[in-house]
Amino acid sequence: MATIDVFHYNVSAESDFGYSQAIRSGELIHVSGQLSFDEAGEFLHAGDFAAQLERTYANMDKVLDHYGATRNQVVSQILYVVNLRQNAAATAKGNLAYFGDHRPASTVLGITELTFPGQVIEISFVIDTKLPA
């Protein structure tokens, strides 16, 4: 029987919208869209793509750390990018820097807006804990 483990940051958005940051079912962990927010759930760096990307990856690392997983165990990701043409090069550069030689399956979507005013990036991903760390 599969085990289920839910991860929360305990920020108001989780209860306001009724979601978890991540949920583990068996060996797979499905992670909700991570974005640029601090420990209190406050959105950071409105309009600053580079700063938001850096903070988003730091928040992804918090989820990985919680589950004892590594970036090498990320099997897929979806990146939601406002002004994709303008931010495509920075998206690619940040992704290569974050994953190094690891290449998860990726989908990048150019969108018109995200939840917070000035939010320009959000990344959801799936982890497979059976993969080597």
Side-chain angles (χ1 to χ4, degrees):
M1 182 168 183
T3 60
I4 296 177
D5 176 18
V6 178
F7 172 67
H8 296 279
Y9 289 121
N10 296 315
V11 296
S12 61
E14 294 167 346
S15 59
D16 292 348
F17 289 96
Y19 75 98
S20 301
Q21 294 295 328
I23 185 167
R24 180 180 189 150
S25 178
E27 302 302 324
L28 292 179
I29 303 164
H30 299 270
V31 184
S32 294
Q34 298 298 293
L35 54 120
S36 180
F37 62 87
D38 64 14
E39 291 76 17
E42 297 297 319
F43 176 68
L44 304 172
H45 312 299
D48 184 337
F49 188 85
Q52 283 187 43
L53 189 60
E54 182 178 336
R55 184 63 187 220
T56 298
Y57 283 134
N59 287 339
M60 290 172 63
D61 283 341
K62 290 178 186 178
V63 176
L64 291 168
D65 289 345
H66 171 80
Y67 288 104
T70 71
R71 297 171 185 183
N72 291 332
Q73 293 170 304
V74 175
V75 293
S76 67
Q77 64 176 342
I78 302 174
L79 296 88
Y80 304 90
V81 181
V82 175
N83 298 320
L84 180 57
R85 288 190 180 125
Q86 175 184 336
N87 293 314
T91 300
K93 181 179 178 182
N95 192 67
L96 288 168
Y98 184 75
F99 285 108
D101 291 333
H102 180 60
R103 299 288 184 262
S106 296
T107 300
V108 180
L109 300 171
I111 58 174
T112 57
E113 64 182 1
L114 287 160
T115 303
F116 297 100
Q119 183 185 352
V120 292
I121 183 79
E122 187 164 327
I123 305 172
S124 63
F125 58 106
V126 177
I127 304 161
D128 185 343
T129 58
K130 283 187 177 180
L131 293 176

